[in-house]
Amino acid sequence: MDIKAVLDNLYASRSTRHLANDPLSFCHRFGAPEDREIAGLVASCLAYGNVKIILRNLGEVFALTGPSPRRFVERFEPQEGLRRFAGFKHRFNDGRDLCALFLAARTMIEEADTIGDFFLGCHDPHAVDITSSLTEFSAAVLAFDYSPVFGTDAIPADSYFSFFFPSPASGSACKRLCMYLRWMVRPADGIDLGIWKGVSPSQLVIPVDAHIQRICRHLGFTKRKQADWRMAREITAALRQLDPADPVKYDFPLCHLGISEGCDGTVQPLCRECPVVEFCRAGAP
């Protein structure tokens, strides 16, 4: 069996157990697309660090936003939000950063009705991938007025809000934004949501976290060592050879070899049962 057949089988084997162990699961709590895109923005922005802590902290956030994230954002008032989320902390992001994120979402929907339509205003449908679109999108969001949250014209130096909106222009792998785009753009398949219709799945770039970085190096999809934008594009180019229309379909199942199945890059008993072992430089006999 060739690598494409193996990865297609891996894609078909995704399960609700994998989804339950993923920040994307919070989007599935809501039925309306307008709620899902807001939930997805928040969930993806906080999707860094230990998975259990991510899921716990997201649970706390969505318990406070109520049954409709869209309605919460439409009515969001920074001063009330600062009181509501005063004790929030997720690693180095705090309640102020979270409130700035809600203000950013409110501003986007005030300007374009949906986050998806705001992103389309930054998007080049003729580009090979989303490099220029993400660069413009992040710059536009960071240019909003956040003084109602921070009390200053500029985002203060002790805030990590800008961490939510990195740019390919800086070399960042933009993992969380690429993940958000995957959730929104890829066709609805029980995992991803297929909400945004104006971006082609063929233009997506794979979100490179520690699992994708390690597994894709072992599978020979990249020779780079640093998890940066060049690595993300290199891995995506390799996957595009397998599925030109939808290269990032393989992200979720490959990532969950690490998140849910326990792959840590060392040879262990798990390797004998791994579906990609014959192509893996770490586990192959």
Side-chain angles (χ1 to χ4, degrees):
M1 197 178 296
D2 63 17
I3 185 68
K4 174 174 170 52
V6 167
L7 292 186
D8 285 341
N9 286 341
L10 186 66
Y11 171 79
S13 72
R14 300 159 309 143
S15 72
T16 54
R17 179 176 66 86
H18 295 143
L19 180 60
N21 205 26
D22 194 285
L24 175 55
S25 62
F26 285 89
C27 296
H28 286 265
R29 295 185 177 190
F30 307 99
E34 58 267 28
D35 286 325
R36 287 180 162 191
E37 74 161 8
I38 300 292
L41 179 67
V42 176
S44 61
C45 281
L46 298 179
Y48 68 97
N50 179 274
V51 171
K52 290 183 179 179
I53 295 174
I54 293 169
L55 300 179
R56 182 197 69 196
N57 289 347
L58 286 173
E60 293 177 0
V61 171
F62 289 113
L64 291 172
T65 59
S68 172
R70 168 72 182 220
R71 191 179 310 118
F72 176 83
V73 164
E74 288 174 335
R75 300 173 179 177
F76 180 73
E77 293 297 335
Q79 291 308 306
E80 194 280 330
L82 288 169
R83 290 190 293 272
R84 180 176 299 203
F85 297 103
F88 176 79
K89 188 74 175 176
H90 180 70
R91 296 193 68 185
F92 43 79
N93 287 117
D94 59 19
R96 293 182 311 160
D97 298 335
L98 184 60
C99 287
L101 181 62
F102 286 128
L103 181 58
R106 194 191 80 184
T107 305
M108 282 188 269
I109 64 177
E110 286 174 345
E111 293 192 5
D113 188 51
T114 69
I115 297 174
D117 286 340
F118 186 88
F119 182 84
L120 284 179
C122 305
H123 180 56
D124 180 358
H126 305 294
V128 173
D129 63 27
I130 55 169
T131 299
S132 62
S133 305
L134 264 189
T135 299
E136 186 173 339
F137 175 72
S138 287
V141 174
L142 291 176
F144 292 160
D145 177 14
Y146 295 102
S147 59
V149 170
F150 296 117
T152 58
D153 291 338
I155 297 169
D158 64 344
S159 166
Y160 286 90
F161 169 69
S162 299
F163 173 76
F164 292 149
F165 295 96
S167 173
S170 70
S172 170
C174 302
K175 184 267 282 194
R176 286 158 292 111
L177 285 178
C178 286
M179 186 166 61
Y180 180 49
L181 288 174
R182 195 204 88 207
W183 297 353
M184 298 297 112
V185 170
R186 282 204 63 254
D189 61 357
I191 301 293
D192 294 320
L193 303 171
I195 296 172
W196 296 359
K197 306 300 184 184
V199 181
S200 171
S202 67
Q203 293 180 290
L204 296 175
V205 172
I206 196 167
V208 177
D209 66 357
H211 301 290
I212 289 294
Q213 177 186 15
R214 180 183 68 253
I215 291 167
C216 286
R217 275 179 55 82
H218 287 325
L219 293 176
F221 292 145
T222 180
K223 294 181 179 179
R224 296 184 58 79
K225 295 181 179 180
Q226 184 175 353
D228 55 13
W229 191 247
R230 289 177 64 186
M231 173 183 274
R233 295 186 84 187
E234 185 171 280
I235 294 171
T236 304
L239 296 175
R240 195 175 285 122
Q241 296 296 312
L242 306 180
D243 192 332
D246 191 12
V248 179
K249 67 186 279 187
Y250 302 114
D251 172 53
F252 183 88
L254 283 172
C255 187
H256 275 271
L257 289 177
I259 294 174
S260 299
E261 303 299 337
C263 171
D264 63 4
T266 62
V267 179
Q268 53 178 302
L270 284 172
C271 293
R272 290 196 295 268
E273 305 299 325
C274 179
V276 301
V277 65
E278 64 180 295
F279 299 98
C280 178
R281 296 173 181 176

